[in-house]
Amino acid sequence: VIEPPLRIAVDAMGGDRAPAHVVEGCLLAAADGDVRLLLVGREAEVERELDRLAAGKGSILSRIELVPAEEVVAMDEPAVTPLRRKPDSSIRVCVELVKEGRARALVSAGNTGAAMAAVKVVLGTVPGVDRPALAAVLPNAGGRTVLLDVGANVDTRPSHLREFAVMGHSYAREVLGTATPRLGLLSIGEEESKGSEFSREVFRVLQQTGLEFVGNVEGSDIFSGRVDVVVCDGFVGNAVLKSAEALADLATRMLQEEIDATLRSRLGYLLARPAIDRFTERTDYAEYGAAPLLGVPAGCFVAHGRSNPKAICSAIRRATEFVRARVHEKIRDRVAELHDEEQRVTARAAGGAGSEPETLAH
Amino acid sequence: VIEPPLRIAVDAMGGDRAPAHVVEGCLLAAADGDVRLLLVGREAEVERELDRLAAGKGSILSRIELVPAEEVVAMDEPAVTPLRRKPDSSIRVCVELVKEGRARALVSAGNTGAAMAAVKVVLGTVPGVDRPALAAVLPNAGGRTVLLDVGANVDTRPSHLREFAVMGHSYAREVLGTATPRLGLLSIGEEESKGSEFSREVFRVLQQTGLEFVGNVEGSDIFSGRVDVVVCDGFVGNAVLKSAEALADLATRMLQEEIDATLRSRLGYLLARPAIDRFTERTDYAEYGAAPLLGVPAGCFVAHGRSNPKAICSAIRRATEFVRARVHEKIRDRVAELHDEEQRVTARAAGGAGSEPETLAH
């Protein structure tokens, strides 16, 4: 069976250099004949970029369809904007295309909060999932770590982190190809007794999941390769992700400053440049594409506002893999299994509790 | 008035390469005639290192006194070990030297939890401070950021974060020399309305402090230079600090791997090496010395387990500056001022509340 080409909706107006960088990223991604892109945004602006960038790329252009949307949600507007004030915004139209079945996934480098809100409200969640979570894919010593939640939720309950664990596990296995993902709970100190009241409760919940739960891990293990999936509340994950991104930027800038300071080091840089470029590539967020919003019934990828064309292209590829691997169906099935298991455990416990008073009365 | 040399107790047995690296760091620090070091640990082992490292440094040696302590708290032992099982451990003896007034500060690169527990229990806290906090000093684009708490406390209340703010502010001003430290609250999103229930409550508390509170900041601002002090719960701060350290390590290792991969880039590295070394120095934790435990009535510095001699020397220098600047007295005074102010506000509010019903009744 040959599957028909996948349709992905792309928010042409999202990102610091939109629509130019988004259009360029779409042209890169559409070089793959397996995908069709619905490019959503202000018609005249997007067309101008397509004309400028797609000269002589007729066959690629035929895989891109322009879908007009006249409004744009700015980076600093409230998350509810696409739901309330701007129903004809590019991000809202992307979400509607998915809802209508015209696209199977969407990619946006625009306002993250607005994209998440529109997706959650318009598409709803996967059955059994209470809280969708934003996952970051980060480099580690031997591969990649999935960290979630990095900002979709605050004030979570322990049962939400169990959902995050199941979703992160499915993503690592189905999209990143990690055969048996090892799961860690972000905490302070590794022993079971360490952590906050909340994290100790989550520990007990994660022990019941049947996933390969290695226990508490510390912030350092996000980058060590000791685990493949790290779960935490969105407040903590957001602080970790944003500080890590800023540190990587600061380090790159400092290195460049020092190299630029003398002729000798500039010469050395010319020689070492391929190595330094490979290094930059290994640590560049653009390589990792975008953050998937897990737990919603479609592939929804939120890319960094600064996304360059390569990052947009990566995000589209991840979205394609996500849909082909049926990740959200797998999340749904696994969550349902967990619920069944819990009910059995609860029923057994209730049966035990029912007979216990009698036993004690003897 | 010429002040007498300061006495600092140093845990000779703490750290991955103790006592060798600690002794070497002490010899570096004691080159400054203004300081006297009490080197605490197993007599024979420490003496052997002193003999090996201090040949021909008689004048420096005269500033170092060996204080015997036969027990050692290992990195993985529980925090209560120096209090319960090992009263003659090097860290416990350091703390006792401070309590007896024989030293004004202490430095340890050993078990952080054990050091904090011994200090808090034996020395108590600064009057008015409920929860001492561990502060990390991190590089930012233009200088340094103080991040606290990075692990002394979990399950904090909003009033604890007000204490952290006051303590971080005093440290930035008195030790790092920041004239008017700007304070940020680590959160998710910058608007006042953003964050968790807890962080929104902290926001309101910090507005009342009279410090230059710029509001919510995100993880990226720890490294941006937008603020000088960032406060958060110890669970979050610990995750941020440990992940940032691990990322910096991973990036350095990846850069080295890429450079080692070809002859051309190795040649380039030889030329660019002074620049790369200056870069490493700027990002090296050893430059920043150790994390001060703020809110206790002495200078207590916890250095990284991997501390090299330079890091130990930096930690001793920071401890000296801490004592000379009378940081803990300033923290005590500022906390007392805040309490007075609060009582006035509460009194006014109570007075207002008493008369308000009458006004409303007219």
Side-chain angles (χ1 to χ4, degrees):
Chain A
V1 185
I2 295 168
E3 287 194 73
L6 266 185
R7 293 180 170 275
I8 314 272
V10 181
D11 177 3
M13 311 310 288
D16 303 343
R17 303 277 304 270
H21 278 188
V22 180
V23 171
E24 204 177 332
C26 285
L27 289 167
L28 289 172
D32 173 3
D34 246 19
V35 74
R36 296 291 178 272
L37 302 177
L38 303 175
L39 195 47
V40 184
R42 287 193 183 126
E43 211 162 358
E45 285 178 50
V46 178
E47 238 161 23
R48 195 181 320 129
E49 291 302 326
L50 279 171
D51 287 346
R52 188 172 69 84
L53 293 162
K57 296 184 183 165
S59 64
I60 291 179
L61 260 186
S62 71
R63 297 179 195 134
I64 300 178
E65 182 186 336
L66 210 163
V67 179
E70 283 313 303
E71 293 173 311
V72 176
V73 178
M75 285 300 201
D76 55 358
E77 287 190 274
V80 295
T81 308
L83 294 164
R84 297 195 189 154
R85 288 207 317 109
K86 295 186 173 173
D88 194 33
S89 57
S90 54
I91 179 62
R92 174 70 184 270
V93 173
C94 283
V95 176
E96 296 293 342
L97 288 170
V98 172
K99 189 175 171 70
E100 293 160 13
R102 290 179 60 197
R104 303 276 299 274
L106 70 88
V107 169
S108 175
N111 183 320
T112 303
M116 291 194 299
V119 166
K120 286 196 275 188
V121 170
V122 175
L123 301 184
T125 62
V126 165
V129 171
D130 204 26
R131 299 272 196 120
L134 199 61
V137 180
L138 298 164
N140 69 38
R144 291 168 182 209
T145 307
V146 180
L147 174 69
L148 77 170
D149 174 33
V150 296
N153 306 278
V154 293
D155 297 322
T156 45
R157 291 196 303 269
S159 62
H160 299 140
L161 269 76
R162 185 190 47 197
E163 293 178 1
F164 301 171
V166 171
M167 300 193 294
H169 182 271
S170 295
Y171 192 76
R173 195 165 60 179
E174 310 302 338
V175 177
L176 304 183
T178 312
T180 324
R182 293 154 302 170
L183 169 70
L185 168 63
L186 186 57
S187 187
I188 174 171
E190 291 185 359
E191 301 82 4
E192 179 174 350
S193 62
K194 293 287 177 71
S196 61
E197 274 177 42
F198 174 76
S199 78
R200 288 194 301 270
E201 206 177 318
V202 176
F203 191 104
R204 290 189 292 273
V205 168
L206 293 182
Q207 280 182 313
Q208 314 295 323
T209 53
L211 301 173
E212 197 180 329
F213 176 49
V214 306
N216 285 334
V217 298
E218 297 203 289
S220 47
D221 284 316
I222 294 168
F223 297 104
S224 73
R226 202 182 129 212
V227 287
D228 306 292
V229 178
V230 175
V231 293
C232 58
D233 175 75
F235 188 95
V236 183
N238 189 265
V240 165
L241 178 67
K242 292 210 167 141
S243 60
E245 282 177 351
L247 174 61
D249 275 359
L250 177 65
T252 310
R253 273 210 310 283
M254 280 181 169
L255 180 59
Q256 201 58 55
E257 264 175 45
E258 294 300 345
I259 283 170
D260 289 345
T262 68
L263 179 63
R264 177 180 151 165
S265 58
R266 284 202 299 276
L267 278 172
Y269 175 64
L270 285 180
L271 285 168
R273 190 170 175 164
I276 291 175
D277 285 353
R278 280 194 309 273
F279 160 70
T280 308
E281 206 159 280
R282 280 174 71 181
T283 55
D284 187 7
Y285 70 90
E287 285 298 302
Y288 297 90
L293 182 66
L294 301 175
V296 294
C300 294
F301 283 74
V302 181
H304 207 289
R306 289 177 311 173
S307 289
N308 56 21
K310 198 169 83 178
I312 298 289
C313 174
S314 293
I316 294 170
R317 292 210 175 119
R318 291 300 93 73
T320 314
E321 291 162 13
F322 185 96
V323 176
R324 294 225 187 277
R326 303 175 185 279
V327 178
H328 72 77
E329 283 98 334
K330 280 165 185 159
I331 287 174
R332 182 198 59 203
D333 296 347
R334 189 76 190 98
V335 169
E337 275 170 44
L338 264 183
H339 282 199
D340 290 353
E341 221 167 278
E342 269 183 350
Q343 288 192 326
R344 272 196 300 276
V345 172
T346 314
R348 262 203 306 276
S355 58
E356 219 169 81
E358 277 197 84
T359 317
L360 286 171
H362 283 303
Chain B
V1 186
I2 296 169
E3 287 194 74
L6 267 185
R7 294 181 169 275
I8 315 272
V10 180
D11 176 4
M13 311 310 289
D16 302 344
R17 303 278 303 271
H21 279 187
V22 180
V23 171
E24 204 176 333
C26 284
L27 289 167
L28 289 173
D32 172 2
D34 247 18
V35 73
R36 296 292 179 271
L37 303 177
L38 302 175
L39 195 46
V40 184
R42 286 194 186 126
E43 209 162 1
E45 287 178 49
V46 178
E47 237 161 24
R48 196 180 320 129
E49 291 302 325
L50 278 171
D51 286 346
R52 189 172 68 84
L53 295 162
K57 296 183 181 167
S59 64
I60 290 179
L61 261 186
S62 71
R63 297 179 194 134
I64 300 178
E65 181 186 336
L66 210 164
V67 179
E70 284 313 305
E71 293 173 312
V72 175
V73 178
M75 284 302 200
D76 56 358
E77 286 190 274
V80 295
T81 309
L83 293 164
R84 296 195 190 152
R85 286 207 317 110
K86 296 185 173 174
D88 194 33
S89 57
S90 54
I91 180 61
R92 174 72 183 271
V93 172
C94 283
V95 177
E96 296 293 342
L97 288 169
V98 172
K99 189 175 170 72
E100 292 161 13
R102 289 178 60 197
R104 303 279 297 276
L106 70 89
V107 169
S108 174
N111 183 321
T112 303
M116 290 195 299
V119 165
K120 287 196 276 187
V121 171
V122 175
L123 301 183
T125 61
V126 164
V129 171
D130 205 25
R131 298 271 196 119
L134 200 60
V137 179
L138 298 164
N140 68 39
R144 292 169 182 207
T145 307
V146 180
L147 174 69
L148 76 171
D149 174 33
V150 295
N153 306 277
V154 292
D155 296 322
T156 46
R157 291 196 304 269
S159 63
H160 298 140
L161 268 76
R162 184 190 48 197
E163 292 179 1
F164 301 170
V166 171
M167 299 193 295
H169 182 270
S170 295
Y171 192 75
R173 195 165 62 180
E174 310 303 339
V175 177
L176 304 182
T178 312
T180 325
R182 293 154 303 171
L183 169 70
L185 168 62
L186 187 58
S187 188
I188 174 170
E190 291 184 0
E191 302 82 3
E192 180 174 349
S193 62
K194 293 286 178 69
S196 62
E197 274 178 43
F198 175 76
S199 78
R200 287 195 301 271
E201 205 177 318
V202 176
F203 191 104
R204 289 188 293 272
V205 168
L206 293 182
Q207 281 183 313
Q208 314 295 323
T209 53
L211 301 173
E212 197 181 328
F213 176 50
V214 306
N216 285 334
V217 298
E218 297 202 289
S220 47
D221 284 317
I222 294 168
F223 297 103
S224 72
R226 202 182 130 212
V227 287
D228 306 291
V229 178
V230 174
V231 293
C232 59
D233 174 77
F235 188 94
V236 182
N238 189 266
V240 166
L241 178 67
K242 293 212 166 136
S243 59
E245 283 177 351
L247 174 61
D249 275 358
L250 178 65
T252 310
R253 272 210 311 281
M254 280 181 169
L255 180 61
Q256 201 60 54
E257 264 175 45
E258 294 300 344
I259 283 170
D260 289 345
T262 69
L263 178 62
R264 178 179 151 165
S265 59
R266 285 204 297 276
L267 278 173
Y269 175 65
L270 285 180
L271 284 169
R273 190 171 175 164
I276 291 174
D277 285 352
R278 280 195 309 272
F279 160 71
T280 309
E281 205 159 283
R282 281 174 71 181
T283 55
D284 187 7
Y285 70 89
E287 284 297 301
Y288 297 89
L293 182 66
L294 301 175
V296 294
C300 295
F301 283 74
V302 181
H304 206 290
R306 289 178 312 174
S307 288
N308 57 22
K310 198 169 82 177
I312 297 289
C313 174
S314 293
I316 294 170
R317 291 210 176 120
R318 290 300 93 72
T320 313
E321 290 162 14
F322 186 97
V323 175
R324 295 224 187 277
R326 302 176 184 280
V327 178
H328 72 79
E329 282 99 333
K330 280 165 185 159
I331 287 174
R332 182 198 59 202
D333 296 347
R334 190 76 191 96
V335 169
E337 275 170 43
L338 265 183
H339 283 198
D340 289 353
E341 223 167 278
E342 268 183 351
Q343 288 193 326
R344 271 196 302 275
V345 171
T346 314
R348 263 203 306 276
S355 58
E356 219 170 79
E358 279 197 85
T359 318
L360 287 170
H362 283 302

